[in-house]
Amino acid sequence: AQSVTQLDSQVPVFEEAPVELRCNYSSSVSVYLFWYVQYPNQGLQLLLKYLSGSTLVKGINGFEAEFNKSQTSFHLRKPSVHISDTAEYFCAVRGYNQGGKLIFGQGTELSVKP
Amino acid sequence: KAGVTQTPRYLIKTRGQQVTLSCSPISGHRSVSWYQQTPGQGLQFLFEYFSETQRNKGNFPGRFSGRQFSNSRSEMNVSTLELGDSALYLCASSLEFRGGEAFFGQGTRLTVV
């Protein structure tokens, strides 16, 4: 079984500042890792994914994340945020050979202030 | 290429009624999963279908059911609605059963009164 913990429920930050949204997971099997973003009254949009290979993955809108297997973490970063990045961000895991079932964290609400 | 399409976007039902939600996956995608999103419980997996067969099921009562058609379109049904079923229901499609990433639709907002 897998579980995901997003360590911050809310992250306020000023525009053009860097941001890190933290995600830790636990799993008895190897996993794939994902970050999704959700804008109000919308579905989930895939930001980036780690399936294999390089542990530093780049996604859309200038976001990147680093997979750290020893610390079972997959933190999301952006060097300079914009007002338009205000949204809820979800970290998710999927176990190898376990189909498409995603286990999500509780979400982090990113609020970018001018 | 069109994305995942869910209909309807909004729905209001009365306790005790039943409801059917529809999901059309991305063209060529064969796996469809359903999730329930509520403020209290977050995003929870309902079930997954591939090749018209349920492959995975979450911890939901039997009132929640689904099916997948030969064109990969999927429906989920909730019978005997309860107030606690009010939620955003999200559908996701993937290319294959164990393949890559999932792409989500806009969701159906169900309100039970």
Side-chain angles (χ1 to χ4, degrees), chain A residues 13-109:
Chain A
V13 64
F14 286 106
E15 194 174 19
E16 297 183 8
V19 72
E20 178 180 80
L21 305 184
R22 297 179 294 167
C23 172
N24 286 101
Y25 70 93
S26 70
S27 177
S28 55
V29 300
S30 296
V31 296
Y32 301 120
L33 295 150
F34 307 87
W35 275 98
Y36 286 88
V37 61
Q38 186 176 37
Y39 300 100
N41 297 316
Q42 298 291 318
L44 300 176
Q45 181 182 8
L46 181 66
L47 272 179
L48 47 78
K49 60 186 183 284
Y50 173 77
L51 302 180
S52 65
S54 172
T55 57
L56 181 63
V57 293
K58 294 188 183 298
I60 63 171
N61 301 341
F63 285 94
E64 63 180 34
E66 185 154 20
F67 170 51
N68 187 319
K69 189 173 182 180
S70 63
Q71 296 186 5
T72 59
S73 67
F74 190 54
H75 301 333
L76 180 71
R77 302 184 183 100
K78 185 169 182 177
S80 175
V81 295
H82 303 290
I83 298 286
S84 59
D85 292 323
T86 295
E88 187 141 25
Y89 292 78
F90 292 94
C91 180
V93 302
R94 176 163 70 81
Y96 283 6
N97 298 320
Q98 292 186 358
K101 177 181 177 180
L102 289 166
I103 304 298
F104 286 91
Q106 286 295 99
T108 296
E109 190 179 327

Side-chain angles (χ1 to χ4, degrees), chain B residues 46-47 57-65 77-79 82 85:
Chain B
L46 278 156
F47 27 64
K57 189 177 190 313
N59 294 324
F60 279 82
R63 300 185 296 107
F64 292 81
S65 63
N77 184 276
V78 188
S79 62
E82 301 176 358
D85 297 333

Side-chain angles (χ1 to χ4, degrees), chain A residues 36 38 42 94 99-100 102, chain B residues 35 37 48 97 100-102 106:
Chain A
Y36 286 88
Q38 186 176 37
Q42 298 291 318
R94 176 163 70 81
L102 289 166
Chain B
Y35 294 82
Q37 185 178 25
E48 178 181 19
F97 178 51
E101 61 267 48
Q106 298 281 63

